[in-house]
Structure formats: structure tokens, C-alpha cells
Amino acid sequence: MRARLIAITAVLAAARAAPPPPSDYAWALPPRFQPPPVPADNPMSAAKVELGRRLFYDVRLAANGTQACASCHAQARAFTDGRATSVGSTGEVGRRNAQPLANVGYLASLTWANPSMRALEAQAHVPMFGVAPVELGVAGDGGALLARLADEPLYPALFAEAFPDDPAPLSIANLTRAIASFERTIVSGRARVDTGELTDAERRGQALFASARLGCNQCHGGFAFTVATGDDLRFFNTGLTADDPDRGVAAITGDPAQAGWFRPPSLRNVAVTAPYMHDGSVATLEEVVDLYAAGGRGAGVSNPRKSELITGFAITADERADLVAFLGALTDAALLTDPALADPW
């Protein structure tokens, strides 16, 4: 039930309310950005971030040596993969679109529809050990993976430097801590929307985005262009279908009223992260605008579980062009080429 989700929110919000642990890590943040929350048991360090970057790009994380985290989260695509739904290392096709990782450290929850998945360290286990679908295909306790990493001459020293107080630093727990630390550094906030250097069309689109008529910022407001940040667990049914074949949050909570609920993704860099929606079924931003203008898609318009925010709106062709132009101004070109986030191999 909705009450259950609220209860989960309250408990996890309390757990995340503690101040970040002391750290001398030098964040390279955009103006006006604060560091994302950092768990007390995984303080930031330069050594840990560098180890995490290498692991993020290392195909040895896949059991068959064919994929890395970066295979579904490419920097040039704002850490997405350009597919409707991702394909795992064994060729198994997943059911959901790869999410962008920019500002992932600020999100209230991770993945499309799991209100209890809130720690990057825990989420890293999903592509590694998950079987529905298989992604990296790591089996058992990960011993074979650790053996592969131990054979790389760089890793024993890198793990020891990143976790100097651990007598056995090369472990699955430390591997996920390092990847999570790197992911927290994927911060996007240097787009033209941040500097105010917008064209006339983009300014008109910005006004439409925030208007009561369109109401885009009701789900995509705030610094990350999603309301689902901090401790604000937010999920919506956007009327994509009538029967919600992907049950979304309901698959986790068991509440049928939450069928088809998904977390609103950040719109930062959205112009380079096509295709769109949780199932990757919408090819272009123009089509996204048309879908919301119609109040959903097909029979999904009358889905009784559809969010009350998805009401449809009138929009002219020129207005649609202005809105899409504004969305293009959310692209952080520096993020897409930042060497600190690039493949170190």
C-alpha cells in the first residue's frame, strides 16, 4: 500500500540523515553543488575513486570477460547505452532501459522502481549477481571474479591503497565500495542551463517547462531535474499502457495500486540519452512531448493507476520545438568528455 511506501521512506530517510563522515577528499563540483551523501562505512578517498574507475571500465567483471559497467553506461551518452533495453554479457535482453548515472549519488532511490534500493554499494551487486536478467553473470560468492582481478598486476596494490586498514582488501565488499565511490563523482551541473546562456527559443522552452499548463517540473524539478532526490521517494505511473505489464514498484511492495509506478529520471543530458521511458519505447524527445501532451499512450490514457499529474495539454508545433530546444540546453558537454570519468585502461 501507499502507507507501506511512506513507512519505508521514513525509516530510510532517518538512516540517511546522518552527516557525511569526515574526509579530505577534494570534490570537483559545479558551482552551487554540495557533495552527495556518503555512507559512514565508505568515506571518499582519491585512491578509492581511482580504483572504482578502473573497475567500472574493466570487462573482467563479467564472468565471460565481455562486459563492464561501462558497457551499459557509456560516458559519451551521459552513461547510458543507446539501446531500448540493455543486453547482458550472455546476450540476454533486459526489460528496462539503462539509466543515466549523472548525479546518481543524489538520488533518493536507485533503479527504476525499487524504493528500498538506496545505496550505490548495494546496487552494484545487481548487475554483478543478478539472474533476472543476467548482466555481468557473476556466480556464487564471486571467488572466480576476485581471482581474475588478483591476476591483474595493478589491482593488489590499488585495493591495498584504497582500503589500507583492511587485512584482506581485495573483496567483493570493497569492490562495490570502490565502484560506488567513483559513481558519486559523476556529477553533472555545467550545462548552459546552469550558466544562463540560453537562446531565445531555449528561454521560451524553459518557461513552458515550468508553466502550469505543461507542469514538467512537477516530476522533473530541482537541481537534478528530477524530484526524486535526497529523501524524497517519488514514483509515477505515466500512462504508457493500460495493463502495466511491468509492475514497477508493485513488484517490490505488493501493492497493486502501485503497478506501473517508476521513478522519474533526471533530465540532465536527456538530449544524448535516447531512447526514453523505462522500457525504451520512445525514440525522440519530440515523441516524449507528444506522449505527455496526449496524457499517455493509447489505452494507457485511461489507466486508473495513472498519476493525477498526467492530464495532457495543448501545445503547438513551435512550442514543442522550443521545449525540445530547452531540453538540449541541459546537456553538460564537459561531463561527456571529462578525462577524470573516462576509461583509464
Side-chain angles (χ1 to χ4, degrees):
M1 292 182 176
R2 187 183 299 260
R4 181 178 175 184
L5 184 56
I6 293 171
I8 291 172
T9 304
V11 170
L12 294 176
R16 287 164 60 96
S23 170
D24 59 0
Y25 180 72
W27 289 93
L29 296 171
R32 299 179 296 280
F33 270 62
Q34 296 298 313
V38 176
D41 63 352
N42 190 24
M44 297 290 289
S45 74
K48 202 179 294 183
V49 169
E50 179 57 23
L51 170 61
R53 181 166 71 117
R54 287 193 173 273
L55 291 166
F56 184 88
Y57 284 97
D58 196 336
V59 295
R60 281 167 289 206
L61 263 65
N64 61 10
T66 63
Q67 280 194 349
C69 305
S71 300
C72 295
H73 300 285
Q75 182 181 11
R77 294 181 178 272
F79 295 93
T80 60
D81 66 1
R83 297 176 180 268
T85 59
S86 294
V87 178
S89 60
T90 64
E92 182 174 353
V93 178
R95 61 190 176 126
R96 291 179 182 165
N97 185 255
Q99 295 204 323
L101 297 185
N103 299 327
V104 68
Y106 298 96
L107 296 178
S109 64
L110 307 169
T111 76
W112 277 102
N114 189 342
S116 63
M117 182 65 72
R118 307 198 68 192
L120 286 168
E121 291 79 2
Q123 192 281 325
H125 285 263
V126 175
M128 290 170 58
F129 292 96
V131 295
V134 171
E135 295 180 70
L136 296 175
V138 177
D141 62 0
L145 167 58
L146 295 177
R148 290 194 298 275
L149 298 182
D151 286 340
E152 164 53 53
L154 288 174
Y155 276 133
L158 287 174
F159 272 90
E161 183 182 4
F163 302 96
D165 298 325
D166 192 332
L170 206 166
S171 66
I172 294 296
N174 286 343
L175 182 156
T176 58
R177 289 185 182 112
I179 291 175
S181 295
F182 169 68
E183 289 175 334
R184 289 188 176 97
T185 70
I186 305 175
V187 177
S188 180
R190 294 184 172 89
R192 286 187 299 106
V193 70
D194 299 295
T195 64
E197 302 172 78
L198 301 179
T199 66
D200 289 344
E202 291 163 353
R203 290 190 188 282
R204 292 193 299 268
Q206 184 178 39
L208 285 166
F209 185 89
S211 69
R213 171 159 57 101
L214 271 63
C216 306
N217 59 356
Q218 293 183 87
C219 298
H220 297 286
F223 75 98
F225 287 86
T226 172
V227 295
T229 57
D231 293 316
D232 196 357
L233 288 173
R234 302 290 296 277
F235 303 91
F236 303 96
N237 183 316
T238 56
L240 281 181
T241 66
D243 55 1
D244 307 319
D246 186 334
R247 298 184 67 231
V249 171
I252 304 298
T253 65
D255 183 352
Q258 295 169 349
W261 279 21
F262 296 94
R263 177 178 57 74
S266 170
L267 295 189
R268 282 191 177 273
N269 307 293
V270 69
V272 300
T273 64
Y276 306 106
M277 318 306 285
H278 70 274
D279 58 358
S281 63
V282 181
T284 68
L285 288 173
E286 288 81 2
E287 291 176 40
V288 172
V289 175
D290 288 346
L291 186 152
Y292 285 116
R297 181 170 57 198
V301 174
S302 57
N303 187 328
R305 291 174 292 277
K306 187 180 72 171
S307 169
E308 66 277 6
L309 298 177
I310 310 299
T311 59
F313 50 79
I315 188 168
T316 68
D318 287 344
E319 287 177 326
R320 185 180 74 165
D322 288 343
L323 181 59
V324 170
F326 169 67
L327 295 174
L330 306 185
T331 301
D332 182 347
L335 176 89
L336 309 184
T337 58
D338 185 349
L341 303 175
D343 186 348
W345 295 103

